[in-house]
Amino acid sequence: MNLTPADGGTVEVSERTDFPVNRGALCGKGRTAPAVLASGARLTSPLVRSDDGALVPAGWDEALDRIARNLVRTRAEYGADALGVFGGGGLTNEKAYALGKFARVVLGTSQIDYNGRFCMSSAAAAGTRAFGLDRGLPFPLEDIPKTGCVILVGSNPAETMPPSLRYFSELRDNGGTLIVVDPRRTRTAEQADLHLAPRPGTDLALALGLLHLVVAEGRVDEAYVEERTAGWEEARAAAMAHWPEYVERITGVPVPELREAVRLFCAPDAAMVLTARGPEQQAKGTDTVGAWINLCLATGRAGRPRSGYGCLTGQGNGQGGREHGQKADQLPGYRKLTDPAARRHVAGVWGVDPDSLPGPGRSAYELLDALGTDVRSLLVMGSNPVVSAPRAAHVEGRLRSLDFLAVCDVVLSETAELADVVLPVTQWAEETGTTTSLEGRVLLRRRAITPPDGVRGDLEVLHGLAGRLGVEKGFPTEPEEVFEELRRASAGGPADYSGIDYGRLAEENGVFWPCPAAGAGAGDGPVPHPGTPHPGSPDADTAHPGTPHPGTPRLFLDRFATADGRARFVPVAHRPSAEEPDAEYPVLLTTGRVVAQYQSGAQTRRVAELNAAAPGPFVELHPRLAARLGAAEGDPLAVVSRRGRAVAPARITTGIRPDTVFMPFHWPGEGRANTLTNPALDPTSRMPEFKVCAVRVETVPR
C-alpha cells in the first residue's frame, strides 16, 4: 500500500498497483488500518500497576526500571529459566531477531516462544521433514494461475486473505480447476469446481484415501518417484490401508467425490496442494500435512515448474517471524539451536561463548501452561494469548498467577490489562523494518509518520532493558543496523539473508530468500543450495560468481534441501482426533476467522467500520441441529466443552455439516471461542488442536 501523512498523526492509505503480490488490492482491514493510529484507539504512555491495583500512567524510566528490577529479582531467586518471553508473528524480522537475542544473551533463558507456534508450525515441521527446508510457498503466488489444478485444504482466503483470491479466480479463468477441502461451504468453497466437506479432524484420512486411489488407478509418476524421492514403498503401503469406502466412513466424503478429486488433480501436467490452519491446527497436524505432501510427491507435483506443496500463512510476518530466533528451538537463519555449528556461528556474531547459549525451551502452549510455577516473570511482545491461546480461561489464570508480567503493545489488549507494566510501542506506519511474505519474499516497510510523544519502538525497549540488565552493547535501536547483524547471523543458514540489504529491497520490490552474499558458500555443510538456479531458469543468467545473488523465487527445481537431494516420503496413518464426540459432548467444534476481524481482534475491534460489519461472535450451525435444539436465528446458544462454556447468537446455515458447529475466535468475554478449544499438542510441531474438539450445544433463556 501507499501511505500519505494526514492530519491528526495518522496516514491515508491508497492502492499500490505496481507491487507484484496484491497488485493494488486491499482488504477492509488494510484500508481501515489507519484508524488504530489515532489517539484514543492506542496507548500513548507507559502504564504501571499502582498499589490499589489500577494501571496508571508513568514515565519511561520508571516503567523500564520496574521491569528490569523484577527480572533481576526473579532470576536471582529462581534462576534464568524462571524468566519467560512470548513474541509474535507480527513483529518485523529485526524485532524478532532482537527479541530472541535478548532472551538468550541478556536474560540467559531458554523459555522463549511465540504465537506463530499456533499458526504454521505443523506445516513447517512437515515441510522440513519432506524437503529438508520450510518456506511457506516454494514458488511465488503468481505461479498459481499458471498451474492446472489446486487443492486448497482448510483455507478460506476469500475471508482471511482477500487480495490473494484473484489468483484462484485467474486459475479458473485460465482453464484450471480448484478443489476446496473444508467442513464449511465458505465463500472460497462456493467458487470451487469441487468442494469436499470432510468431518473435522479427518483431513489425514482424506489425503491417504486420495493417494490410495492414485496408486490403484495407476497414476503414480514412477520415473519421478525413482529419480527424486526416497521412502515410497513404506508410504505406499500405509496409503493402501485406506481404501475409498473406509475413508468415506471416516470423513463423510462420498467415494465418487474422492475419485473426481483424483481425476481433476492428476489430469493436467502441473498441480499444487496448498494447506492452511484447517489440517495444521490438529494434534496430528504434521502427519496430516505430510500425507498431502506424499500425494504431491507420488504424482510428481513437487520441485517442478508450476507444481508443488505450499502453506498459506496467517500473520503479517508469519514466515519471517519464525526464521530468526524467537522460536523455542531456533537460532537466526532458521538454524537449529541444537546444532553445534549453528551455535558457534551465531555466538560468533553475537560475541558470546557458544556454551553460554541456553538450549531449546518450551513450546508456546507449554510455556503458557508453566506460568506462575516454573516461569515466574514474563515479557510479552506483540501477542494477546488471553484471547488467542487454546484453553484460554486456563491460560488467563496462569497469566494472573505470575509474579510479574510486562506487555509491549500498541493497544490495551486483554493480556495487557493483566500486566504489571504496559509499554506503548510503535506500529506499522511509524517504524521501518522488514517482513517476509508467505512466498519467502523479504520486504522493506518504511516509516511514514512520526509516532506520538510517549511511544517508543520495540527495539528501543530492548535496548533500554538490556542496558539496565548490564549489557550495554549489541542492541541498537536503528532497524537497518539490526538487519545488517541479522544478515551476518543468517549467512549460510537455511534462511540465508546475507545477500539482501535495504537498498536492494527498496529497488527490487523485495528479494526472495535464500539469497547468499556474493561469493559466499551455500551453507554450513557440503549440500548444494536447493535454490541454486539451474540452466535455462530465469535466474541462471544473473547468478554468476561475484555478482549479487538474484534471490530464489522457486525452490527445489533441481534438488531438495536434503543430504542426497531427494524428497522424503513419510509413512503416516489415520488416527482419531485427541477428543472425539461422545454422549455428553456429541458435536464437533471448529474455529476460524471472519473477513472484518483479525486474529485476537485487539486492533480490529477498535475500528468502527469493521465492528459494524462483524460486531461479535456467533455460533454457526446446520438447520437440522438447530431444529433438534429448538433454536432460531439469533437465539443465544451455549457451546460447552470439557474446558469451559461460551455463549453467542445462533447463525443457521446449510453451509456447514450437521455434526459440526463453527465459532470465530476474535472476541474475548463470554463469546471467547478459545475457552473451548483443546490444547492437545502435535508430538512434532507442538501445535495445539484448535480445529476440532467435542462440545455440546444448549439453548440459553433470553
Side-chain angles (χ1 to χ4, degrees), residues 47-50 55 66 402-406 416 418-422:
L47 304 174
V48 299
R49 188 75 60 182
S50 66
L55 282 172
R66 186 178 292 202
L402 282 164
D403 294 347
F404 183 78
L405 172 63
L418 305 181
D420 298 286
V421 177
V422 183

Side-chain angles (χ1 to χ4, degrees), residues 19 154 233 259 335 340 342 391 405 420 449 470 486 505 515 522 564:
F19 190 66
E233 289 306 318
R259 295 188 183 279
R335 286 181 160 92
R391 197 185 173 196
L405 172 63
D420 298 286
I449 56 174
L486 182 157
L505 295 176
C515 183
D564 59 6

Side-chain angles (χ1 to χ4, degrees), residues 243-256:
W243 60 95
E245 292 75 14
Y246 173 56
V247 169
E248 178 181 325
R249 288 200 302 273
I250 295 170
T251 65
V253 178
V255 171

Side-chain angles (χ1 to χ4, degrees), residues 403-472:
D403 294 347
F404 183 78
L405 172 63
V407 174
C408 303
D409 211 329
V410 174
V411 298
L412 192 65
S413 69
E414 286 72 23
T415 302
E417 289 176 351
L418 305 181
D420 298 286
V421 177
V422 183
L423 299 179
V425 291
T426 53
Q427 52 181 314
W428 52 280
E430 302 163 347
E431 59 183 15
T432 293
T434 62
T435 61
T436 305
S437 75
L438 73 165
E439 310 168 299
R441 187 194 305 254
V442 185
L443 306 165
L444 178 61
R445 187 177 74 189
R446 288 170 287 192
R447 174 172 166 166
I449 56 174
T450 302
D453 291 339
V455 173
R456 296 184 184 180
D458 294 282
L459 295 179
E460 294 177 273
V461 170
L462 296 176
H463 173 85
L465 289 176
R468 285 167 170 80
L469 293 168
V471 180
E472 300 292 342

